[in-house]
Amino acid sequence: MGTSSQLLDWAAKQIGTVGGSKYWKDVYGWSGNGLPWCAVFVSDGLKQTGTECAFFPRTYAFDTREKSEIGSAWVDKYNLKPGDAVAFDWDGDGRGDHVGFVEKVLGYGVYQTIEGNVSNSCGRRTRYASSIIG
């Protein structure tokens, strides 16, 4: 089974990749779209490194409605660690809008992430707990 460091090494090597077709091909064997490519990026990383993660690739951006199904794998947005898949809620409705991986914990509720579909490419971002579901 893959480790968090293997997953993050894989994700870091993806930085700068433009478009999601590579990830759709790796995960689903086709280059079409229809699923958010941020989520297909996460699913591909898990697949390529043999890393297990609750709810992936079954979902594309988990949210608070699924918290009970995820169970003990759900981590509060202030307790995330490197390698965790993290979901974001841009509009505050409790539904996941985007997903990526936590790369570093920068401080209480502040994280460096690696995400697919950051302006149509893989990239790093600084994200705050205020936009994170868990």
Side-chain angles (χ1 to χ4, degrees):
M1 182 159 89
T3 65
S4 293
S5 73
Q6 290 170 322
L7 180 63
L8 292 174
D9 286 345
W10 176 88
K13 290 175 185 170
Q14 307 307 306
I15 292 173
T17 300
V18 176
S21 62
K22 169 194 183 319
Y23 308 106
W24 281 303
K25 284 179 187 175
D26 286 351
V27 175
Y28 297 106
W30 57 285
S31 61
N33 57 18
L35 295 173
W37 85 262
C38 61
V40 179
F41 165 78
V42 168
S43 294
D44 194 25
L46 297 169
K47 178 181 176 182
Q48 296 297 324
T49 61
T51 306
E52 291 186 19
C53 180
F55 239 52
F56 270 91
R58 190 173 68 147
T59 192
Y60 59 87
F62 49 86
D63 60 43
T64 54
R65 295 171 298 166
E66 296 150 340
K67 187 175 181 178
S68 63
E69 288 184 58
I70 294 171
S72 64
W74 184 274
V75 178
D76 180 77
K77 61 186 176 181
Y78 293 101
N79 295 313
L80 298 169
K81 62 185 185 307
D84 283 344
V86 59
F88 304 95
D89 178 9
W90 305 137
D91 54 11
D93 67 358
R95 295 179 178 207
D97 297 312
H98 185 65
V99 67
F101 294 117
V102 173
E103 182 179 30
K104 293 181 184 176
V105 177
L106 301 177
Y108 188 73
V110 183
Y111 303 95
Q112 179 174 296
T113 61
I114 300 177
E115 306 163 22
N117 202 13
V118 175
S119 300
N120 199 37
S121 68
C122 292
R124 284 189 173 98
R125 288 289 188 263
T126 299
R127 302 291 190 189
Y128 299 88
S130 59
S131 66
I132 294 172
I133 295 175

